[in-house]
Amino acid sequence: LKNLRTIHDIVMDIQKDDPSFSLQDIPLDVPEVYQMFAKADTTGIFQFETETFKPQLRKMHPERFEDLVAANALNRPGASGNIDTYINNKQHPEQIQYPSKELKEILQDTYGVMIYQEQVMLALQKAAGFSLGKADILRRAISKKKSDVMTGMRQEFVKGCMANHYTKEAAEELYNYIEKFSGYGFNKSHSVAYSYIAYQLAYLKVKYPMYFYSALLNSVISDQDKTSQYVDECRRRGIQILYPDVNASQETYQGTENAI
């Protein structure tokens, strides 16, 4: 990912002025960073800068790292249909109706919406006693619409739930619920990794804008359209972009205290 190179370059520039700076030490609860996400001020932020996603981001209003992970996972084909449910449940948690006690434990952090593949697997394990290996087989069968596997394992699921004190009707209802969401489930560990990169970039954008924008411009140095977009954003933020100067310019953009 070129974003990792961009982060590396920003950190190297910061450490020239502050050798003690370490990206591993940045806190994950900086209010200004989440305010930036909530305003969809995410130009240059990995995974979060698309124009189609920005309106959803304003509605979702992330307030913690887990919200970024959920937003990232929901911004996928199919899964994006659950964004309105997620937003409504986040705003009115008292109205959430969980299908069962086990699922409440699993879905509480995502406001009653099954977003991740890991949640699907845990639900199958907790409710029906499936091993995680068997749960993953059913998860994949549902996502790939393998009806023969789904039919056989549905019966096994209902049987497992009944052994766990569910009625047959409740077990069937629970399976339908899981089937509905699991086809669009995203890998949570993947979303966490992506969102962590996005958060690091957002933190650097908020706290070290001159270093951030000079590295961002260097990452698109051969792309005229992106360069124009990022230069315009710098000017809107009051960051001065100086013209090339035979006495001062180098082969890449350089951030100084007052200009790039």
Side-chain angles (χ1 to χ4, degrees):
L1 294 172
K2 72 174 185 177
N3 297 275
L4 296 177
R5 179 71 202 190
T6 301
I7 290 171
H8 172 270
D9 290 347
I10 297 168
V11 170
M12 290 298 100
D13 283 344
I14 294 171
Q15 288 178 341
K16 287 175 190 172
D17 298 329
D18 179 8
S20 67
F21 177 79
S22 170
L23 197 63
Q24 305 310 314
D25 294 337
I26 67 172
L28 283 174
D29 57 355
V30 178
E32 306 97 291
V33 175
Y34 292 104
Q35 287 163 16
M36 193 185 76
F37 278 108
K39 290 187 292 187
D41 179 15
T42 49
T43 298
I45 305 301
F46 176 57
Q47 295 278 302
F48 288 85
E49 71 171 332
T50 64
E51 292 305 318
T52 52
F53 189 28
K54 284 181 178 181
Q56 302 287 13
L57 201 53
R58 291 186 190 98
K59 286 196 253 178
M60 294 177 83
H61 207 277
E63 298 171 299
R64 54 186 186 144
F65 184 69
E66 288 81 0
D67 291 344
L68 294 183
V69 178
N72 194 300
L74 283 168
N75 186 38
R76 311 282 158 181
S80 58
N82 297 322
I83 288 178
D84 288 342
T85 304
Y86 177 89
I87 293 168
N88 186 63
N89 288 357
K90 183 174 184 283
Q91 292 171 346
H92 306 284
E94 72 285 352
Q95 295 177 9
I96 302 172
Q97 293 186 331
Y98 295 96
S100 71
K101 176 170 63 73
E102 287 85 359
L103 258 68
K104 182 176 181 180
E105 295 171 12
I106 296 165
L107 302 180
Q108 214 160 14
D109 279 349
T110 52
Y111 308 106
V113 179
M114 192 172 277
I115 297 173
Y116 309 118
Q117 293 173 356
E118 289 88 340
Q119 288 176 310
V120 175
M121 292 163 64
L122 278 171
L124 295 168
Q125 182 195 41
K126 296 272 187 186
F130 279 22
S131 69
L132 288 175
K134 186 184 286 187
D136 195 41
I137 291 170
L138 179 53
R139 179 196 63 76
R140 280 182 283 164
I142 293 171
S143 65
K144 293 178 180 176
K145 307 292 188 285
K146 291 187 176 179
S147 55
D148 53 336
V149 179
M150 288 163 59
T151 302
M153 294 189 78
R154 181 188 187 106
Q155 295 168 359
E156 199 173 338
F157 174 85
V158 171
K159 188 178 176 183
C161 284
M162 290 172 70
N164 202 17
H165 310 299
Y166 282 78
T167 64
K168 188 172 188 293
E169 292 73 22
E172 293 275 4
E173 189 179 325
L174 186 55
Y175 184 89
N176 292 336
Y177 179 89
I178 292 169
E179 186 179 38
K180 174 186 170 186
F181 283 101
S182 61
Y184 305 119
F186 192 66
N187 184 308
K188 184 178 183 182
S189 57
H190 201 153
S191 192
V192 167
Y194 273 5
S195 299
Y196 188 52
I197 292 171
Y199 182 90
Q200 288 178 329
L201 279 165
Y203 179 90
L204 294 168
K205 182 176 180 176
V206 167
K207 298 292 186 182
Y208 301 93
M210 209 69 77
Y211 299 108
F212 173 85
Y213 281 109
S214 58
L216 193 64
L217 284 162
N218 285 328
S219 75
V220 295
I221 209 160
S222 60
D223 186 328
Q224 194 170 351
D225 291 338
K226 279 287 187 185
T227 296
S228 177
Q229 179 190 350
Y230 293 156
V231 166
D232 284 348
E233 170 144 340
C234 285
R235 287 175 174 150
R236 281 198 304 274
R237 289 176 174 273
I239 296 172
Q240 190 179 10
I241 304 289
L242 302 178
Y243 291 109
D245 183 324
V246 71
N247 295 310
S249 295
Q250 299 182 39
E251 62 185 346
T252 58
Y253 293 91
Q254 303 292 319
T256 68
E257 189 175 337
N258 302 311
I260 294 174

